[in-house]
Amino acid sequence: MTDDCGSKEVLKEYYIPDYILIPEAERDGVSFIPECPLIVFINSKSGGQLGRELLVTYRAILNKNQVFDLEENAPEIVLQKLFTSLETLKRSGDYLAGEILKRLRILVAGGDGTASWLLGVICDLKLPHPPPVATVPLGTGNNLPYSFGWGKKNPGTDRQSVEAFLNKVKNAKEIKIDSWHIVMKMKAATNDLCDPIAPLQLPYTLHAFKRVSQVDTHDTDGYHTFRGGFWNYFSMGMDAQVSYAFHSQRKLHPERFRNQLANQKTYLRLGCQQGWFCAPISHPSSHNIAQLTKVSVMKKSGKWEDLRLPQRSIVCLNLPSFSGGLNPWGTPSGKKSNERDLTPPYVDDGLLEVVGFRDGWHGLVLLSPNGHGTRLAQAHRVRFEFHKGAAKHTYMRIDGEPWKQPLPADKGTVSIEISHFGQVTMLATPGCKAKSFNGPSSHLSHPNRFNTSSAISDDENREERRKFGASDTFRLPGNISPTRPS
């Protein structure tokens, strides 16, 4: 072991030696097998100064070459190099590399958008051994960390706090969660275009479309097309507008947003100013999402049904946490579940919970023990269609990342379709909020459980199409064939 870790024997269970991380490095004589080898990604801009402080601490107590600043390192490049090295060494008979490949875990520190970015990369790289992911809460909402038991508050950045967190990661259980693919198309009218979104305004997980293959029908002439994915929620309407105002102010004055409690107070103030609790003149009813879009859901294979919308906000929810830990779906009573064919909100059942809100006052019911939004549907797929209306734009949000969406001004259209993509593996603490269909507390039967083979056509199941767009599909070099975990 190098001197970098030699004085910190207690952390050797997380250690990855340099010869695996740096191809030109010499083997340093490491003989032990790390119990929980980690690759750490930190968004140094998240959490005010906390991201930078965490970066310093993690690099001090682990091999600094296994800790990456997302401001300086693209995760897809890091993971490509790492997995190429591990597979190559394993094929050459390196037992340590094989064990690290089998035990590897990823830790990502940042907001919900940062965590989703990493999950998109992992999905698109088609890694032979996709590692499970743990999340450190550094954002404002921190819905992903909260769902899996990692907390809502920004963690301590001192050595003791980091070591305690790492111990939880080592003992965490693996849990599968659904991934959701989103494709957004904007059709240009003949004389009055619906302008595309500037790339810098898009969330990490949405990308300008690149043709995957000649048979990929997502690429159509006359459309501006974007694709991506999410793991927590997609929302539209007033909540996304408030989030957009918050993010816009934070970009202009980042020095004012270094305290999580102060950020939450600012968020509430903006909600009042934007008309979340009382609609101002600047937000007439003609601008409500019910007047702007048609929403259809697929509850069963091949059958689309139109939804009647609330006035102000709609949320497509995958995890039981929204706006800092609230659960919009709640727990339907047995009678309502039977009458409306509703099921518990499992994170791996291939279903999105679609919930609506009339206004901020309606949203406040979530603070009560049994409060919930308007349960609109549980769906395998969701489709939004926009045509010319009174508003020139609306607001949307994916996993904490908002943007301002242009709407048609003439005969153009904007369409968004959300469909099931597959699953990723998260790390969770005991007793976390997220519940698995395969967990011990789930029901033995699930009549609405998603069936990929029946709900998605053969053409849509083509491997070459199954991408979010976060990175190029990973391919091992030369004649190395990836081995799948048993």
Side-chain angles (χ1 to χ4, degrees), residues 242-308:
V242 176
S243 179
Y244 183 81
F246 175 85
H247 279 251
S248 298
Q249 288 196 15
R250 187 166 60 179
K251 287 181 180 179
L252 290 174
H253 305 286
E255 71 281 357
R256 301 178 185 175
F257 293 83
R258 294 178 177 176
N259 181 276
Q260 188 181 38
L261 181 60
N263 289 351
Q264 292 169 345
K265 290 181 179 179
T266 300
Y267 209 97
L268 180 60
R269 175 176 57 82
L270 290 172
C272 295
Q273 292 177 349
Q274 295 287 334
W276 186 216
F277 291 94
C278 54
I281 298 177
S282 60
H283 190 94
S285 60
S286 59
H287 288 208
N288 291 338
I289 61 171
Q291 308 300 322
L292 299 178
T293 183
K294 173 186 175 182
V295 182
S296 304
V297 297
M298 182 184 291
K299 297 181 180 179
K300 296 182 179 180
S301 177
K303 183 180 180 181
W304 288 96
E305 302 177 21
D306 293 341
L307 282 187
R308 182 179 179 182

Side-chain angles (χ1 to χ4, degrees), residues 1 5 8-16 32-37 61-62:
M1 181 185 296
C5 194
K8 309 174 183 64
E9 292 297 325
V10 68
L11 297 184
K12 67 181 183 181
E13 61 249 61
Y14 310 104
Y15 183 77
I16 300 178
F32 65 87
I33 305 298
E35 182 179 353
C36 181
I61 65 178
L62 298 175

Side-chain angles (χ1 to χ4, degrees), residues 65-117:
N65 292 315
Q66 70 189 91
V67 182
F68 299 90
D69 183 355
L70 287 170
E71 288 296 309
E72 301 175 356
N73 300 274
E76 61 267 31
I77 295 176
V78 171
L79 293 176
Q80 281 180 3
K81 290 181 178 179
L82 174 65
F83 275 80
T84 298
S85 175
L86 287 170
E87 286 283 359
T88 303
L89 289 167
K90 179 183 175 182
R91 296 283 174 170
S92 68
D94 190 313
Y95 181 75
L96 175 59
E99 287 300 306
I100 289 178
L101 184 63
K102 182 169 62 176
R103 301 167 186 236
L104 184 68
R105 296 185 166 193
I106 286 181
L107 185 65
V108 53
D112 288 329
T114 301
S116 293
W117 176 25

Side-chain angles (χ1 to χ4, degrees), residues 7 18 73 101 113 117 188 209 236 241 246 260 272 329 484:
S7 62
D18 275 339
N73 300 274
L101 184 63
W117 176 25
F209 180 83
M236 182 188 312
Q241 180 176 346
F246 175 85
Q260 188 181 38
C272 295
W329 186 256
R484 299 287 174 179

Side-chain angles (χ1 to χ4, degrees), residues 192-372:
D192 199 350
L193 300 181
C194 175
D195 294 330
I197 307 170
L200 292 179
Q201 294 180 354
L202 287 171
Y204 284 126
T205 52
L206 268 183
H207 311 270
F209 180 83
K210 295 181 180 179
R211 176 180 282 275
V212 177
S213 71
Q214 293 300 314
V215 299
D216 195 334
T217 56
H218 284 164
D219 185 40
T220 309
D221 292 337
Y223 284 82
H224 307 296
T225 307
F226 302 88
R227 72 195 308 167
F230 67 93
W231 290 263
N232 193 354
Y233 65 86
F234 168 83
S235 69
M236 182 188 312
M238 184 56 69
D239 72 289
Q241 180 176 346
V242 176
S243 179
Y244 183 81
F246 175 85
H247 279 251
S248 298
Q249 288 196 15
R250 187 166 60 179
K251 287 181 180 179
L252 290 174
H253 305 286
E255 71 281 357
R256 301 178 185 175
F257 293 83
R258 294 178 177 176
N259 181 276
Q260 188 181 38
L261 181 60
N263 289 351
Q264 292 169 345
K265 290 181 179 179
T266 300
Y267 209 97
L268 180 60
R269 175 176 57 82
L270 290 172
C272 295
Q273 292 177 349
Q274 295 287 334
W276 186 216
F277 291 94
C278 54
I281 298 177
S282 60
H283 190 94
S285 60
S286 59
H287 288 208
N288 291 338
I289 61 171
Q291 308 300 322
L292 299 178
T293 183
K294 173 186 175 182
V295 182
S296 304
V297 297
M298 182 184 291
K299 297 181 180 179
K300 296 182 179 180
S301 177
K303 183 180 180 181
W304 288 96
E305 302 177 21
D306 293 341
L307 282 187
R308 182 179 179 182
L309 294 179
Q311 290 185 330
R312 309 299 290 280
S313 185
I314 186 170
V315 182
C316 300
L317 193 68
N318 188 43
L319 302 181
S321 181
F322 178 74
S323 290
L326 302 177
N327 185 356
W329 186 256
T331 305
S333 66
K335 181 180 179 180
K336 288 184 178 180
S337 296
N338 292 331
E339 291 176 350
R340 298 186 56 191
D341 197 21
L342 301 178
T343 64
Y346 299 123
V347 299
D348 57 350
D349 59 0
L351 293 172
L352 285 171
E353 281 68 47
V354 186
V355 187
F357 294 96
R358 296 185 300 274
D359 50 34
W361 300 111
H362 186 194
L364 287 179
V365 302
L366 297 181
L367 300 176
S368 63
N370 298 314
H372 59 85

Side-chain angles (χ1 to χ4, degrees), residues 11 14 53-54 57-58 61-62 107 156-168:
L11 297 184
Y14 310 104
E53 293 173 4
L54 269 184
T57 304
Y58 272 96
I61 65 178
L62 298 175
L107 185 65
T157 59
D158 59 283
R159 180 184 177 115
Q160 183 178 0
S161 297
V162 169
E163 288 190 13
F165 196 94
L166 287 176
N167 188 59
K168 291 181 179 180

